[in-house]
Amino acid sequence: MPVRPAVTEADLEAHLRGICFKTGPPRRIGVEIEWLVHDARNPRCPVEPSRLRAAQAALRALPLDSLLTFEPGGQLELSSLPATSLSACIEAVSADLALVRPAMLDMGLGMAGHGHNPWHAPQRVLTEPRYNAMEAYFDRWGAAGRSMMCSTASVQVCVDAGHEEPGPLGFGRRWLLAHLLGAVLAAAFANSPTSEGCPTGYRTTRQVVWSQLDPERTLAPPQDPDPRTGWARYVLDAPVMCIRSEDGPWDAPQGLTFREWVRSGVPRPPTQEDLDYHVSTLFPPVRPRGHLELRMIDAQPGDAGWIVPLAVTAALFDDPEAAERAYRIVKPLAETAGARPAPRNPLWRHAARGALTDPELHAAAVACFAAAQEALPRLGASPGVIEAVADFTERYVARGRCPADDHLDAVYAADPAYAPAAPDPADPPADGPARATDITDPTGFAAEGELTLGKDSQ
């Protein structure tokens, strides 16, 4: 006799539709910030797991408002509470960092903002069943899974889903905006051009790593006229990464989708809690969790580098005038993106390799940052935040650069052998300006070939 599922497929689909986009006037903003933890005296010296565990215990004793967690490779993460304004969010997280950074330095540890570890190969320090199952699952796709788990860090901005009704702040418009603007944000804030000391050929290696993983849980859902329907289908048709158990490993049968698990009830009937946990193992560039979680921005350099991507994203999503301008700016990028989902389409490939050296992305970034700068005073941003965005715009965006370019300049200066070769005068002239994004593998993206991290791919 077949096992009766604990919940029906229709129940679970209704649950997903009810929780993925919680609509209403956009009022709240949040941020999740990750850092690579390193030895304060010598970042190139790996930190022993025992030191990381001691740091975790000490930091958990601090009176923080943000949620403090650690990633499998020891990366430190602070997740803010939902704030009612951009200024409140920045003030709360800055206050927590004022406690965390000195405590880390007292233990001889520093916090670095890089999208991908530039020094070390992946080394997992957390051994919870979730991460054991995750490592085994992603190992089927090669080495990128361990790199993602242990060597990447990001700034994830969380914005409200938006109004139920259409318009600049409607949830359907914001869902589409996130997937086009996401490529612009990934390019402008690209900050991971090296691995194990070597240029990878990409300005955001972190984005490349994500693109190499299981496409059924890391690509964007297909665009659907009803985003709720599209997301529910995506979730139920994604393979199950792990089945929680009180004893024994959390392994799942290979290739089992959640929909198939519900229908078969094998190896045990799933519950609604299992579905919610399954959603936490899905990693598309934009993840609807009631709000929209934008996951494409590399961790940023400097103590306050995270503030600029937070402020720019908040302005372009939550100020109605800026949101309308941003949508009109990025809408033509859909032609470049084509039908393939992010991050494996041409638009996101260009962002990962060339960042703002790509003329189309550069033009979009210049216009979007201008809209954000005009909107920030309307959102009540402080003079310091407005100045930080202006400085970033002048230093990087206006010049077609991103933080990764500073890092590459230092690498090329230290070892000229890594510097790109100058064009041969004998070569015929190009039809248009040279673009780093034109140098790519013929199959499309590194996810469809094999990027050897730690080697120069150009």
Side-chain angles (χ1 to χ4, degrees):
M1 177 181 251
V3 177
R4 181 178 177 81
V7 286
T8 69
E9 192 174 330
D11 289 339
L12 294 178
E13 183 171 349
H15 173 67
L16 286 169
R17 290 175 58 86
I19 66 171
C20 57
F21 296 93
K22 295 182 178 178
T23 54
R27 293 194 179 101
R28 297 174 301 173
I29 188 79
V31 67
E32 301 174 19
I33 320 168
E34 297 171 337
W35 289 271
L36 303 175
V37 176
H38 62 87
D39 184 272
R41 294 183 179 179
N42 183 6
R44 291 173 173 79
C45 179
V47 179
E48 299 87 352
S50 59
R51 292 181 67 191
L52 290 172
R53 287 191 288 269
Q56 293 168 11
L59 294 181
R60 288 193 174 103
L62 297 175
L64 305 177
D65 286 332
S66 302
L67 175 65
L68 174 74
T69 54
F70 293 88
E71 296 299 307
Q75 307 98 307
L76 184 156
E77 179 177 352
L78 284 180
S79 302
S80 75
L81 296 174
T84 56
S85 69
L86 172 63
S87 294
C89 183
I90 292 173
E91 290 170 5
V93 176
S94 297
D96 287 340
L97 284 170
L99 298 176
V100 169
R101 288 189 183 278
M104 290 287 282
L105 286 174
D106 287 345
M107 293 178 282
L109 297 173
M111 298 158 53
H114 298 282
H116 187 276
N117 194 317
W119 308 296
H120 315 132
Q123 179 184 11
R124 187 157 64 96
V125 298
L126 299 185
T127 57
E128 283 84 348
R130 172 186 173 94
Y131 298 126
N132 293 339
M134 183 180 292
E135 182 178 277
Y137 181 92
F138 281 129
D139 276 352
R140 301 169 191 166
W141 280 265
R146 298 189 183 206
S147 185
M148 177 276 289
M149 293 171 64
C150 303
S151 299
T152 61
S154 68
V155 176
Q156 299 178 16
V157 181
C158 300
V159 297
D160 274 336
H163 289 285
E164 187 72 26
E165 300 79 14
L169 300 184
F171 83 97
R173 169 78 68 87
R174 287 160 74 87
W175 179 241
L176 179 58
L177 173 65
H179 288 90
L180 295 174
L181 179 63
V184 179
L185 297 174
F189 297 108
N191 186 40
S192 52
T194 63
S195 175
E196 298 181 52
C198 303
T200 64
Y202 295 85
R203 284 172 171 80
T204 168
T205 300
R206 173 181 168 273
Q207 195 62 60
V208 175
V209 167
W210 278 105
S211 75
Q212 290 183 300
L213 303 175
D214 171 16
E216 294 181 279
R217 68 182 345 98
T218 58
L219 297 186
Q223 287 294 326
D224 191 289
D226 179 5
R228 291 188 176 98
T229 298
W231 176 249
R233 185 185 304 117
Y234 175 89
V235 171
L236 292 175
D237 289 336
V240 177
M241 174 180 285
C242 55
I243 295 178
R244 294 175 294 170
S245 172
E246 293 184 3
D247 53 3
W250 287 15
D251 299 336
Q254 187 167 346
L256 177 72
T257 68
F258 204 94
R259 192 185 304 278
E260 292 166 345
W261 186 16
V262 174
R263 292 176 178 179
S264 69
V266 175
R268 64 166 174 78
T271 64
Q272 182 175 300
E273 290 73 21
D274 287 319
L275 179 67
D276 292 338
Y277 194 86
H278 172 64
V279 170
S280 78
T281 70
L282 304 178
F283 308 110
V286 184
R287 185 165 61 179
R289 305 290 298 272
H291 56 274
L292 302 183
E293 182 183 80
L294 280 70
R295 305 171 50 83
M296 71 291 297
I297 301 171
D298 280 356
Q300 295 296 290
D303 289 355
W306 57 275
I307 291 176
V308 175
L310 171 63
V312 169
T313 306
L316 296 178
F317 272 86
D318 289 351
D319 178 82
E321 182 179 337
E324 180 63 25
R325 284 179 61 185
Y327 181 72
R328 292 181 180 180
I329 292 164
V330 302
K331 188 176 181 181
L333 299 180
E335 183 175 347
T336 299
R340 302 187 68 189
R344 288 196 184 181
N345 63 47
L347 178 66
W348 284 68
R349 294 203 312 265
H350 293 176
R353 185 180 287 277
L356 296 189
T357 66
D358 180 275
E360 189 176 33
L361 285 166
H362 180 221
V366 168
C368 284
F369 272 69
Q373 287 181 275
E374 293 179 15
L376 285 171
R378 296 194 292 267
L379 293 180
S382 70
V385 171
I386 294 172
E387 182 179 0
V389 173
D391 289 347
F392 186 97
T393 303
E394 180 180 355
R395 179 176 180 179
Y396 295 115
V397 178
R399 300 169 61 198
R401 289 174 61 87
C402 60
D405 289 306
D406 290 348
H407 191 58
L408 287 173
D409 287 347
V411 171
Y412 299 154
D415 189 345
Y418 282 125
D424 188 336
D427 289 341
D431 293 334
R435 309 193 327 173
T437 52
D438 289 333
I439 308 171
T440 187
D441 67 86
T443 61
F445 201 26
E448 297 166 35
E450 180 68 22
L451 172 66
T452 305
L453 296 178
K455 303 292 185 182
D456 191 343
S457 68
Q458 298 211 56

